[in-house]
Amino acid sequence: MRIFRTEVSAVTRLSATMIRVTLALAEDFPTTGVGDEYVRLFFPHGDDRREVSLPEPHGDYWRTPEGAPEAPMRTYTVRAVRPRELDVDFVVHDGGIAARWALAARPGDVLGLNSPTGLYDPPADLSWQVLVCDLTGLPAMARLITGVPGNVTTKVIAEIPGDDSRLDLPQRPNVEVTWLHGGNGTGPSRLDEAVRAAVPLSRPLDGGYVWVAGATDTLRAVRRYLRKERGLPTGRYKVIGYWTPDGEAWAERFRTLPADDRRRLEAIWQDTARDEEDLRDDYEAELERLGL
């Protein structure tokens, strides 16, 4: 784990709902090279946008130095990496620490970030894949498309609020892109329906991989379909919750759970003898039982 101090060098409006912030570093960023790699961003604690209370590395995690204010933190995809520079694309909306910061971002503003982690992990025999996301997954989607091998057929499904949120995705001859309108906090999502159509029960699994990113509540149904109904082995799919509707209210409800409920949730992840996806089944079932 490493922590970096960065400064905004440029701000670019990409669409009605997305802003790109280019961050400069004093050294090259240690990218994983994985298309959906993400970092934790540490935001200024107070009104001074040029000061941030950086945490210190502590093994595989980090901690705030004693007596220092804890920096607000959010998780974001790294859209692109260049020598001593990287891009982070922000979905902008009403409310939220990150969106408010991005809407006012100017060169010279400061952010902290940690070393990256990537999750996209297709099998060695990859010959076709289905990549699905909502608005928050577009930065990762664009970077994944850029890296699609020439022998891999890729179906892309992106759900956006409306045409003013559409981005110019990289053009590849073996990539088919479908745009859907809906979800994203503006109405019912169609991602579950889209995944079922793209990966039907009749489709052979040989050489396939499915990557899905978006709202956590929507993706629970998607993951159940791929894992339980479709029967995909763990190495054939990756389903990643990027955001939670009414996230601050959800976090407060989680924080105020009775102690017994919190212990039960924490205990699920302590069973190291079981597969991580099996543990996630139990964890999500418990969250749903608690109304979360």
Side-chain angles (χ1 to χ4, degrees):
M1 174 65 63
R2 298 180 62 192
I3 304 293
F4 302 86
R5 183 184 186 275
T6 73
E7 287 193 8
V8 175
S9 60
V11 180
T12 308
R13 172 68 78 160
L14 300 178
S15 72
T17 50
M18 192 166 290
I19 289 175
R20 173 167 298 161
V21 177
T22 300
L23 300 170
L25 298 85
E27 59 185 295
D28 286 347
F29 183 68
T31 177
T32 66
V34 178
D36 67 347
E37 70 179 353
Y38 64 88
V39 293
R40 268 73 178 206
L41 298 179
F42 302 97
F43 292 87
H45 182 74
D47 295 332
D48 189 347
R49 299 177 62 89
R50 304 201 173 198
E51 288 295 333
V52 61
S53 175
L54 291 180
E56 297 175 342
H58 184 62
D60 291 333
Y61 206 64
W62 62 84
R63 62 184 176 191
T64 300
E66 186 174 351
E70 184 173 352
M73 182 273 292
R74 296 293 185 271
T75 302
Y76 272 82
T77 301
V78 177
R79 172 60 183 88
V81 178
R82 296 174 295 277
R84 297 193 175 189
E85 193 173 66
L86 59 85
D87 294 331
V88 177
D89 294 349
F90 291 79
V91 175
V92 291
H93 52 84
D94 293 334
I97 290 169
R100 287 196 301 270
W101 181 90
L103 282 166
R106 298 291 183 272
D109 289 353
V110 174
L111 278 185
L113 55 84
N114 71 339
S115 43
T117 300
L119 296 175
Y120 172 81
D121 187 23
D125 66 347
L126 182 68
S127 61
W128 63 268
Q129 61 183 342
V130 176
L131 309 178
V132 183
C133 72
D134 66 11
L135 188 60
T136 62
L138 281 179
M141 178 78 79
R143 194 171 170 191
L144 289 172
I145 292 173
T146 300
V148 171
N151 63 336
V152 174
T153 300
T154 300
K155 182 174 182 58
V156 168
I157 302 169
E159 184 174 63
I160 55 178
D163 282 334
D164 60 357
S165 294
R166 188 179 294 209
L167 299 180
D168 292 329
L169 295 177
Q171 299 294 308
R172 298 295 301 273
N174 53 343
V175 176
E176 173 193 342
V177 179
T178 299
W179 295 94
L180 304 177
H181 289 178
N184 297 285
T186 65
S189 173
R190 299 166 59 191
L191 290 187
D192 183 31
E193 162 195 336
V195 170
R196 289 173 179 270
V199 194
L201 295 174
S202 59
R203 183 168 191 172
L205 299 180
D206 294 350
Y209 185 68
V210 183
W211 177 93
V212 191
T216 302
D217 56 349
T218 297
L219 267 52
R220 284 177 180 168
V222 171
R223 182 174 172 276
R224 275 196 297 268
Y225 170 71
L226 294 175
R227 180 166 167 77
K228 301 298 185 181
E229 295 182 51
R230 191 60 187 84
L232 266 65
T234 300
R236 294 286 176 184
Y237 71 91
K238 183 69 69 175
V239 178
I240 316 153
Y242 270 21
W243 66 286
T244 300
D246 298 320
E248 292 185 8
W250 187 97
E252 179 62 17
R253 289 176 60 200
F254 185 90
R255 187 185 67 80
T256 57
L257 284 173
D260 286 348
D261 290 333
R262 291 181 65 88
R263 279 194 293 269
R264 194 158 44 247
L265 285 167
E266 292 167 2
I268 291 172
W269 297 110
Q270 305 308 312
D271 188 354
T272 56
R274 297 175 61 204
D275 179 80
E276 182 177 336
E277 287 294 281
D278 289 335
L279 298 179
R280 187 169 298 280
D281 287 341
D282 292 351
Y283 188 79
E284 292 189 353
E286 185 64 17
L287 287 177
E288 290 185 334
R289 186 188 71 80
L290 295 169
L292 294 170

